[in-house]
Amino acid sequence: MSANVFERVQASFAQQQFMSTLGASLAAARPGAVEITVPFRANLTQQNGFLHAGVITSVLDSACGYAAWSVAPEDATDVLSVEFKVNLLSPAVGERFVARAQVKRAGRRITVCTADAFAMNGADEKLVATMLATIITMNSTSSKVRKIATVPGS
Amino acid sequence: MSANVFERVQASFAQQQFMSTLGASLAAARPGAVEITVPFRANLTQQNGFLHAGVITSVLDSACGYAAWSVAPEDATDVLSVEFKVNLLSPAVGERFVARAQVKRAGRRITVCTADAFAMNGADEKLVATMLATIITMNSTSSKVRKIATVPGS
Amino acid sequence: MSANVFERVQASFAQQQFMSTLGASLAAARPGAVEITVPFRANLTQQNGFLHAGVITSVLDSACGYAAWSVAPEDATDVLSVEFKVNLLSPAVGERFVARAQVKRAGRRITVCTADAFAMNGADEKLVATMLATIITMNSTSSKVRKIATVPGS
Amino acid sequence: MSANVFERVQASFAQQQFMSTLGASLAAARPGAVEITVPFRANLTQQNGFLHAGVITSVLDSACGYAAWSVAPEDATDVLSVEFKVNLLSPAVGERFVARAQVKRAGRRITVCTADAFAMNGADEKLVATMLATIITMNSTSSKVRKIATVPGS
């Protein structure tokens, strides 16, 4: 996936209907790094009027999955989130939010990514959450494994 | 919060606009255990047409937060998700999904919950994800701490 | 690994020199469940005189790895810990400690285990920690993957 | 803890008998960052002769706890590990190992740290594991909380 990383990630991202439901968009994708933004919207909030942790987690997860995908071998057919951990660091208060994922360790099968989420108010950015995620890369010979993991950004 | 646990949880749940956006509903709440259901909807999917992991995580997170809330001391004012880890065990394929959270260890300040998510097809249930979560309980004297953690189910 | 699960686990456990350094022993092993015990010893403590979290984590990790191994396919050659999360629930104060691991979801490649650690004082048991772990199963054709994960209970 | 961070950390580290059992030593401590090294020793290995994951986790945990301690308020009396997650990225093969922890987000109560572990062979370093950890800071008025969390580096 050396060339046209953004286009390839965007093509898959556009199929994630949940990202559209959140109003999220792909902001950047290059080998090993992906950014996704999501605006503040009242219909994404929890009981105190802040963005629900699930919204932040959703864009962190998709960003990690696509970061892993951006460095996957040519014969990769898909990436699956095996698991992730999120620490919520500050209330998600802002006009919009950005999730920035980086590949920490890419392997033929298992890739580990980290991602930070920031609340943006004008030019200010504030760290609100951080993720550490494990992603498995599928190819045509491993498709049987699909049943034992779960789907990417899924 | 001994009496009317369901009513108290439901009152807060109704204020989580994101739960409404997901079509989620509170199915059960008793001391130490909460269930939330969410239907399959096309606008909640990832690229393969399965429920996005973020949707499953969102209901697992809210279920854990409310399970902690259901056993919080009388002087508690709020609960905040400090962090959680999710393992995605099978593709989230089903007509609807249920997140079932239980309190593993309740403390005056820190409460730890586990939760499982199941895909439901007719009468069949299949385990699709599991969460281990840390929640902090706030009271009026700890409200200053709010700034260093994040908001409940948030 | 249907027959002689205990013997097969014990054979590998005996090779983990670190378990011997901790004074740990294999207490039980049956398909899908493994128990490891470790005594209190002054040389395993942290600054307050309680068992160091690393000791508890070590026996939880080995217990999870062997629980996964106990249900691995016949052609499995090894199991590797991909990652784990531990919540420390109470100070590790006791005469001895037991880690009890169970398989939560066994797959051809990825297996997820949970484990609890208890402090034991006479006949009393107190929950002190809990783990959620991801293990990868290796076979002869996947040995190249060894480089991208880490070694079992490792 | 502005002055003499190293001395204050070293004083506590010296009381962690388990660090001595591992042969670990404090390599660096400044506000927000702590390094601990551990040599390869046969009595710290798992079944394949590599360092046991529990050893790596133990030094990562102590490094995170002391990084949090290095930035704790003047009235702090202790720090407790609430939970941590470790990803094992490569087999722990090396002459010695170093765990490097950094504070990601310091709060009055909850501090989040990240840490990486590297295998060292001569001048070469290789990333073998990474941790994301949650630490709670205690002071004299919060000592009652001790019972609901766990002990530092513990």
Side-chain angles (χ1 to χ4, degrees):
Chain A
M1 194 194 263
S2 52
N4 297 321
V5 167
F6 187 87
E7 285 75 9
R8 284 189 62 185
V9 171
Q10 177 62 38
S12 176
F13 185 88
Q15 294 181 291
Q16 290 205 341
Q17 292 192 49
F18 186 51
M19 288 295 113
S20 173
T21 299
L22 298 178
S25 54
L26 181 68
R30 55 185 186 281
V34 166
E35 292 187 22
I36 297 173
T37 59
V38 63
F40 177 84
R41 287 183 180 176
N43 73 348
L44 305 180
T45 56
Q46 38 77 284
Q47 73 278 14
N48 295 317
F50 305 136
L51 215 66
H52 195 285
V55 177
I56 294 292
T57 300
S58 296
V59 291
L60 286 167
D61 173 42
S62 284
C64 284
Y66 287 123
W69 178 237
S70 75
V71 297
E74 290 292 326
D75 67 341
T77 53
D78 209 349
V79 288
L80 318 180
S81 295
V82 173
E83 63 80 42
F84 49 74
K85 174 203 197 305
V86 177
N87 265 258
L88 305 160
L89 304 171
S90 286
V93 180
E95 299 161 359
R96 60 199 174 91
F97 303 87
V98 60
R100 296 192 179 115
Q102 304 83 33
V103 172
K104 181 87 175 179
R105 171 78 170 86
R108 205 176 62 91
R109 178 74 72 190
I110 299 287
T111 294
V112 173
C113 295
T114 59
D116 289 328
F118 299 86
M120 310 181 81
N121 288 285
D124 286 342
E125 288 191 0
K126 181 178 182 180
L127 180 66
V128 296
T130 192
M131 175 178 278
L132 178 56
T134 307
I135 292 109
I136 192 166
T137 301
M138 313 304 298
N139 58 33
S140 55
T141 63
S142 63
S143 56
K144 285 173 289 185
V145 182
R146 183 180 300 257
K147 293 186 191 66
I148 65 168
T150 252
V151 182
S154 66
Chain B
M1 193 195 265
S2 51
N4 297 323
V5 168
F6 187 88
E7 285 74 11
R8 284 190 61 188
V9 171
Q10 176 62 38
S12 177
F13 185 89
Q15 294 181 290
Q16 291 205 342
Q17 293 191 48
F18 186 50
M19 288 295 112
S20 173
T21 298
L22 297 179
S25 55
L26 182 67
R30 55 184 185 280
V34 167
E35 291 187 22
I36 296 174
T37 59
V38 62
F40 177 83
R41 286 182 181 177
N43 72 347
L44 305 179
T45 56
Q46 37 78 285
Q47 74 277 14
N48 295 316
F50 305 135
L51 216 66
H52 195 285
V55 176
I56 294 292
T57 301
S58 297
V59 293
L60 286 167
D61 173 43
S62 282
C64 283
Y66 287 123
W69 179 237
S70 74
V71 296
E74 290 292 327
D75 66 343
T77 54
D78 210 348
V79 288
L80 317 179
S81 295
V82 173
E83 63 80 42
F84 50 73
K85 174 202 197 304
V86 176
N87 266 261
L88 305 161
L89 304 171
S90 287
V93 180
E95 298 162 0
R96 60 199 175 90
F97 303 88
V98 60
R100 297 193 178 114
Q102 304 84 34
V103 172
K104 180 90 177 178
R105 171 76 171 84
R108 206 178 59 91
R109 179 73 73 187
I110 300 287
T111 294
V112 173
C113 295
T114 59
D116 290 326
F118 298 86
M120 309 181 81
N121 287 286
D124 285 342
E125 288 191 1
K126 181 178 182 180
L127 180 66
V128 295
T130 192
M131 175 178 276
L132 178 56
T134 307
I135 292 109
I136 191 165
T137 301
M138 313 303 299
N139 58 31
S140 55
T141 64
S142 62
S143 57
K144 286 174 290 188
V145 181
R146 183 179 300 257
K147 293 186 191 66
I148 64 167
T150 252
V151 183
S154 63
Chain C
M1 194 192 267
S2 50
N4 298 323
V5 167
F6 187 88
E7 285 74 11
R8 285 191 61 186
V9 171
Q10 177 62 38
S12 177
F13 185 88
Q15 294 181 289
Q16 292 204 341
Q17 292 192 46
F18 186 51
M19 288 296 112
S20 172
T21 299
L22 298 178
S25 55
L26 181 68
R30 55 184 184 281
V34 167
E35 291 187 22
I36 296 173
T37 59
V38 63
F40 176 83
R41 287 183 179 177
N43 72 348
L44 305 180
T45 55
Q46 37 80 284
Q47 73 278 15
N48 294 317
F50 305 135
L51 215 66
H52 194 284
V55 177
I56 295 291
T57 301
S58 297
V59 291
L60 286 167
D61 173 42
S62 283
C64 283
Y66 287 123
W69 178 237
S70 75
V71 297
E74 290 292 327
D75 66 343
T77 53
D78 209 348
V79 289
L80 318 179
S81 295
V82 173
E83 62 82 43
F84 49 73
K85 174 201 196 308
V86 176
N87 266 258
L88 305 161
L89 304 171
S90 287
V93 180
E95 300 162 0
R96 59 198 174 92
F97 302 87
V98 59
R100 297 193 178 113
Q102 304 82 35
V103 172
K104 181 86 175 181
R105 171 76 170 87
R108 203 177 63 90
R109 178 75 72 186
I110 299 288
T111 294
V112 174
C113 295
T114 59
D116 290 328
F118 299 85
M120 309 180 82
N121 288 287
D124 284 343
E125 287 190 0
K126 182 179 182 180
L127 181 66
V128 296
T130 193
M131 174 177 279
L132 178 55
T134 307
I135 292 109
I136 191 166
T137 302
M138 313 303 298
N139 58 32
S140 55
T141 64
S142 64
S143 57
K144 285 172 291 186
V145 181
R146 185 180 298 255
K147 294 187 189 64
I148 64 169
T150 253
V151 182
S154 64
Chain D
M1 193 194 268
S2 52
N4 298 324
V5 168
F6 186 88
E7 285 73 9
R8 286 191 59 188
V9 171
Q10 177 61 39
S12 177
F13 185 89
Q15 295 181 290
Q16 291 205 343
Q17 293 191 48
F18 186 50
M19 289 295 112
S20 172
T21 298
L22 297 179
S25 54
L26 182 66
R30 54 185 186 280
V34 167
E35 290 187 22
I36 296 173
T37 59
V38 64
F40 177 84
R41 287 183 180 176
N43 72 347
L44 305 179
T45 56
Q46 37 77 285
Q47 72 279 13
N48 295 315
F50 305 135
L51 216 65
H52 195 284
V55 177
I56 294 291
T57 300
S58 297
V59 293
L60 286 168
D61 174 41
S62 283
C64 284
Y66 287 123
W69 178 238
S70 75
V71 298
E74 290 293 327
D75 66 343
T77 53
D78 209 348
V79 288
L80 318 180
S81 294
V82 174
E83 62 82 41
F84 50 74
K85 174 202 196 308
V86 177
N87 266 258
L88 305 161
L89 304 171
S90 286
V93 180
E95 299 161 1
R96 58 198 176 92
F97 302 87
V98 60
R100 298 193 177 114
Q102 304 83 36
V103 172
K104 180 89 176 180
R105 172 77 171 86
R108 205 176 61 88
R109 178 74 72 188
I110 299 287
T111 294
V112 174
C113 295
T114 59
D116 290 327
F118 298 87
M120 309 181 82
N121 287 286
D124 284 343
E125 287 190 1
K126 182 179 182 181
L127 180 67
V128 296
T130 192
M131 175 179 277
L132 178 56
T134 307
I135 292 109
I136 191 164
T137 301
M138 314 303 299
N139 58 30
S140 55
T141 63
S142 63
S143 56
K144 284 173 292 189
V145 181
R146 184 180 299 257
K147 293 185 189 66
I148 65 167
T150 250
V151 182
S154 66

